[in-house]
């Protein structure tokens, strides 16, 4: 077999290499889950990670409390070129299975809005559970281990690393994606996929704030820190969640969700008064001759209303006489409030993105075992794949479910 190399060989040479049944690259959410599962199956498992500590993303996720799963999970909560791909693993390892695992370890957790489950104390409690499972399953975890070269010969994978040379029959790539490079995120998994001739779908930041240029950046900066409960639509998907004004644009859960569906050059549409019969209420205001500003303040913060009326004065009047506004103008104004159409200039990039859209093409791997169809013994799990969840614990659930499905198949 040819020797596939993605970097030049290390100057270090080792006369001997260490053999393990399974080597997993990446001691993150999916890698640790897969390792424990395979270890319990009696496999000798070694996990290699270049970071100083395992599972850095779990530690900081969910504001330090890790939103580790959701009570309501379906394939609808995921973006993938093959929308059916996630179904098998998610149905074999549903959120109830992960909840059962953490309850067995006595983790205190709480349910928040929209079915999100968080640790009650610290996300590090969850890392401890995964580490304990790995210990019980006899898994070795080697951190500060930089992967320098990978080759495949005679059915064996050979990894040259800063900690020595390792060989295995089965190699699992659980190295995650590009978001948050400061937590040691890299594109190694994509390089390995390409090395073995697998297609990688173009990546872009997801669950990310959106930036604005020019006057909108200035306007949003003036409202920085203000949050609104609205509905946001991008690319045909709508989310009823809060948005937050920032110095560079818009953030908050509604915007992060919409960012997964937003494409450069496309608009986002915000309904400032979701679930309200806006036109009927405006007609009632007209009948009463009541104040537009006061009516808006029933639903929106005063600062927002003041700015809004400056940006969009009704009939060019800061304090319009409602009794004299035509029904057509009112209808048009209502539309403006319900379909506030904005054009972001960009996203805030991978450094601020919780996830990466795109990745290893799921057509290249088995949805049951996660083994590459063209390359025996090579597996891809977690976020390195072209699978991205919505905000709300869906990304971790994908890491757990793909890790377990692969671990059982090794
Ligand atoms: C700030 C933030 C908050 C988040 N909050 C949530 C949340 O609350 N709920 C949720 O569901 N999802 C959340 N996510 C997303 C979630 O963290 C990821 O989807 C999940 O961790 C992916 O798991 P993984 O195992 O695929 O990759 P990771 O957990 O990222 O693990 C990959 C591992 O591979 C290692 N690695 C990378 N490159 C190399 C290399 N070249 N050599 C050796 N090792 C390497 C890394 O050090 C890391 O340990 C959040 C993400 C971020 C950035």
């Amino acid at each position: 077999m040819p020797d596939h190399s993605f970097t030049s060989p290390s100057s270090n040479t080792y006369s001997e290499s260490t053999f393990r049944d399974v080597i997993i690259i990446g001691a993150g959410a999916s890698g640790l889950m897969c390792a424990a599962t395979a270890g319990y199956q009696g496999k000798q498992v070694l996990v290699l990670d270049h970071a100083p500590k395992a599972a850095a993303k779990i530690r900081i996720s969910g504001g330090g409390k890790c939103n580790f799963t959701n009570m309501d999970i379906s394939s609808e909560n995921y973006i993938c070129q093959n929308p059916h791909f996630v179904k098998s693993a998610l149905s074999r390892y549903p959120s109830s299975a992960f909840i059962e695992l953490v309850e067995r370890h006595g983790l205190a957790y709480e349910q928040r809005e929209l079915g999100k489950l968080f640790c009650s104390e610290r996300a590090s409690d969850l890392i401890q559970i995964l580490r304990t499972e790995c210990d019980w399953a006899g898994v070795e975890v080697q951190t500060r281990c930089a992967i320098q070269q990978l080759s495949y010969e005679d059915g064996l994978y050979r990894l040259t690393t800063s900690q020595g040379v390792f060989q295995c029959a089965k190699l699992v790539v659980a190295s995650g994606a590009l978001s948050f490079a400061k937590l040691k995120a890299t594109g190694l998994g994509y390089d390995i996929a390409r090395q073995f001739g697998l297609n990688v779908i173009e990546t872009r930041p997801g669950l990310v704030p959106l930036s604005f240029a020019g006057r909108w950046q200035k306007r949003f900066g003036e409202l920085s820190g203000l949050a609104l409960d609205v509905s946001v639509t991008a690319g045909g998907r709508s989310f009823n969640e809060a948005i937050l004004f920032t110095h560079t644009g818009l953030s908050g859960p509604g915007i992060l969700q919409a960012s997964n569906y937003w494409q450069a050059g496309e608009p986002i549409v915000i309904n400032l008064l979701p679930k309200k019969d806006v036109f009927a209420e405006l007609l009632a205001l007209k009948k009463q001759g009541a104040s537009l500003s006061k009516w808006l303040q029933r639903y929106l913060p005063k600062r927002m209303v003041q700015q809004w009326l400056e940006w969009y004065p009704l009939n060019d009047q800061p304090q319009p006489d409602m009794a004299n506004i035509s029904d057509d103008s009112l209808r048009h104004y209502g539309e403006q409030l319900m379909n506030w159409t904005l054009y972001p200039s960009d996203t805030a990039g991978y450094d601020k993105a919780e996830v990466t859209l795109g990745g290893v093409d799921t057509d290249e791997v088995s949805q049951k075992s996660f083994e590459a169809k063209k390359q025996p013994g090579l597996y891809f799990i977690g976020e390195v794949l072209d699978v991205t969840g919505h905000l709300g614990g869906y990304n971790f659930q994908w890491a757990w479910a793909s890790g377990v499905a692969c671990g059982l198949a090794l």
Side-chain angles (χ1 to χ4, degrees):
M1 292 295 288
D3 179 353
H4 300 271
S5 303
F6 60 89
T7 59
S8 356
S10 155
S11 54
N12 294 338
T13 47
Y14 295 85
S15 50
E16 284 187 18
S17 60
T18 309
F19 180 84
R20 293 288 181 276
D21 300 328
V22 176
I23 292 180
I24 299 175
I25 303 178
S30 63
L32 293 178
M33 202 66 186
C34 180
T37 309
Y40 284 131
Q41 303 281 104
K43 298 283 187 292
Q44 280 185 313
V45 183
L46 171 65
V47 185
L48 303 177
D49 199 300
H50 68 161
K53 281 186 176 171
K57 281 192 184 165
I58 296 180
R59 196 175 304 276
I60 59 133
S61 64
K65 300 226 168 159
C66 185
N67 175 197
F68 57 84
T69 193
N70 195 291
M71 296 301 285
D72 183 16
I73 290 193
S74 82
S75 59
E76 285 292 297
N77 302 114
Y78 293 88
I79 301 161
C80 175
Q81 279 203 356
N82 173 359
H84 304 293
F85 179 80
V86 297
K87 289 180 180 169
S88 170
L90 290 174
S91 67
R92 282 183 290 151
Y93 195 81
S95 51
S96 55
F98 192 74
I99 294 166
E100 196 267 320
L101 170 73
V102 299
E103 283 183 348
R104 240 189 302 125
H105 284 265
L107 180 84
Y109 64 90
E110 61 197 38
Q111 184 170 338
R112 297 196 195 158
E113 79 289 351
L114 303 171
K116 299 172 191 170
L117 298 192
F118 287 78
C119 301
S120 298
E121 306 283 332
R122 292 164 301 270
S124 53
D125 295 341
L126 194 57
I127 301 177
Q128 192 48 52
I129 291 175
L130 296 172
R131 291 302 301 256
T132 303
E133 287 288 321
C134 282
D135 285 348
W136 288 346
V139 171
E140 295 165 77
V141 179
Q142 180 78 63
T143 51
R144 297 182 195 275
C145 181
I147 316 292
Q148 294 161 338
Q149 191 194 21
L150 168 63
S151 60
Y152 178 67
E153 217 162 332
D154 298 332
L156 289 184
Y157 291 91
R158 182 183 167 88
L159 291 118
T160 307
T161 78
S162 57
Q163 308 271 348
V165 176
F166 300 94
Q167 292 201 86
C168 59
K170 298 193 169 176
L171 178 67
V172 181
V173 181
S175 54
L178 295 172
S179 310
F180 267 62
K182 67 179 173 199
L183 297 180
K184 304 293 250 176
T186 71
L188 175 69
Y190 310 137
D191 295 340
I192 294 176
R194 290 192 190 100
Q195 181 182 336
F196 290 97
L198 311 188
N199 184 41
V200 177
I201 290 169
E202 194 181 343
T203 62
R204 62 191 169 89
L207 297 181
V208 63
L210 296 174
S211 315
F212 287 80
R215 67 183 171 146
W216 284 110
Q217 187 184 82
K218 189 166 173 289
R219 286 172 171 183
F220 292 157
E222 281 162 8
L223 290 174
S224 180
L226 196 72
L228 307 176
D229 272 322
V230 298
S231 163
V232 192
T233 303
R237 285 293 292 252
S238 300
F239 297 90
N240 287 312
E241 291 188 57
I243 63 167
L244 177 73
F245 293 98
T246 72
H247 285 291
T248 52
L250 294 174
S251 186
I255 292 295
L256 300 189
Q257 299 277 34
S259 73
N260 277 351
Y261 293 89
W262 178 75
Q263 299 281 351
E266 298 288 318
I268 59 165
V269 178
I270 297 175
N271 183 347
L272 288 169
L273 302 173
K275 298 182 206 138
K276 300 274 174 317
D277 190 342
V278 173
F279 184 52
E281 293 203 23
L282 284 169
L283 282 180
L285 278 192
K286 174 177 171 171
K287 249 190 205 155
Q288 298 151 10
S291 151
L292 176 63
S293 167
K294 285 205 177 115
W295 172 70
L296 284 170
Q297 283 178 52
R298 267 197 245 155
Y299 305 121
L300 297 168
K302 192 172 175 189
R303 265 169 78 205
M304 173 68 192
V305 172
Q306 285 168 339
Q307 291 294 314
W308 178 265
L309 292 174
E310 268 183 37
W311 303 336
Y312 301 105
L314 176 51
N315 275 11
D316 291 328
Q317 300 158 39
Q319 286 179 321
D321 175 3
M322 292 299 285
N324 289 324
I325 307 287
S326 72
D327 288 2
D328 265 2
S329 297
L330 285 185
R331 197 185 302 277
H332 180 74
Y333 206 71
E335 284 298 318
Q336 180 79 58
L337 285 161
M338 291 186 296
N339 294 299
W340 186 25
T341 303
L342 294 162
Y343 285 84
S345 57
D346 204 347
T347 72
Y350 288 114
D351 285 351
K352 296 267 162 60
E354 289 198 9
V355 290
T356 301
L357 291 146
V360 177
D361 190 341
T362 56
D363 282 350
E364 300 279 16
V365 300
S366 154
Q367 60 183 342
K368 292 239 165 352
S369 66
F370 293 84
E371 186 173 16
K373 292 174 184 167
K374 299 178 186 151
Q375 180 61 35
L378 182 64
Y379 299 76
F380 292 85
I381 56 172
E383 205 186 315
V384 72
L385 286 164
D386 167 39
V387 173
T388 305
H390 289 175
L391 190 77
Y394 300 100
N395 286 292
F396 278 130
Q397 185 58 35
W398 173 246
W400 317 136
S402 58
V404 168
C406 176
L408 289 172
L410 288 166

